[in-house]
Amino acid sequence: QRLDALLADDRAHAFDMARAPLLRACVVRLGTAHWALLVSVSQAILDTPSLATVLAEVFAAYDGDPSAPVARPPYAEYVEWLRTRDH
């Protein structure tokens, strides 16, 4: 019930693009060995694929491997790919 209330409260607070924070994170203990990471971010800052990339890098650093950045193509290639999509 408290987790549901936390999620509802987070959803009720829209991001104000004129002031920080534009990303919110909260670690919640669910049990003796279970935790949840709640991340809220404005789509104007990070889209879903980009957020997944950022979190993958965060988890890699947490696991002790900060020297292994996630390989990705140049942004220009992504923009070019977007131009091929049917809008």
Side-chain angles (χ1 to χ4, degrees):
Q1 290 173 341
R2 288 187 289 171
L3 180 59
D4 289 339
L6 177 65
L7 291 170
D9 183 61
D10 186 66
R11 288 186 196 111
H13 289 88
F15 287 98
D16 178 352
M17 299 307 287
R19 43 179 264 224
L22 296 177
L23 182 144
R24 295 187 294 260
C26 180
V27 177
V28 178
R29 187 174 189 168
L30 302 175
T32 57
H34 295 90
W35 297 79
L37 172 63
L38 308 175
V39 178
S40 300
V41 63
S42 169
Q43 285 281 338
I45 302 301
L46 285 172
D47 61 2
T48 302
S50 298
L51 179 59
T53 300
V54 168
L55 290 177
E57 291 182 8
V58 168
F59 292 140
Y62 182 79
D63 285 340
D65 192 10
S67 64
V70 177
R72 65 186 65 80
Y75 185 71
E77 287 181 22
Y78 173 68
V79 171
E80 200 53 45
W81 173 80
L82 282 177
R83 289 185 180 146
T84 68
R85 306 293 296 163
D86 182 10
H87 299 286

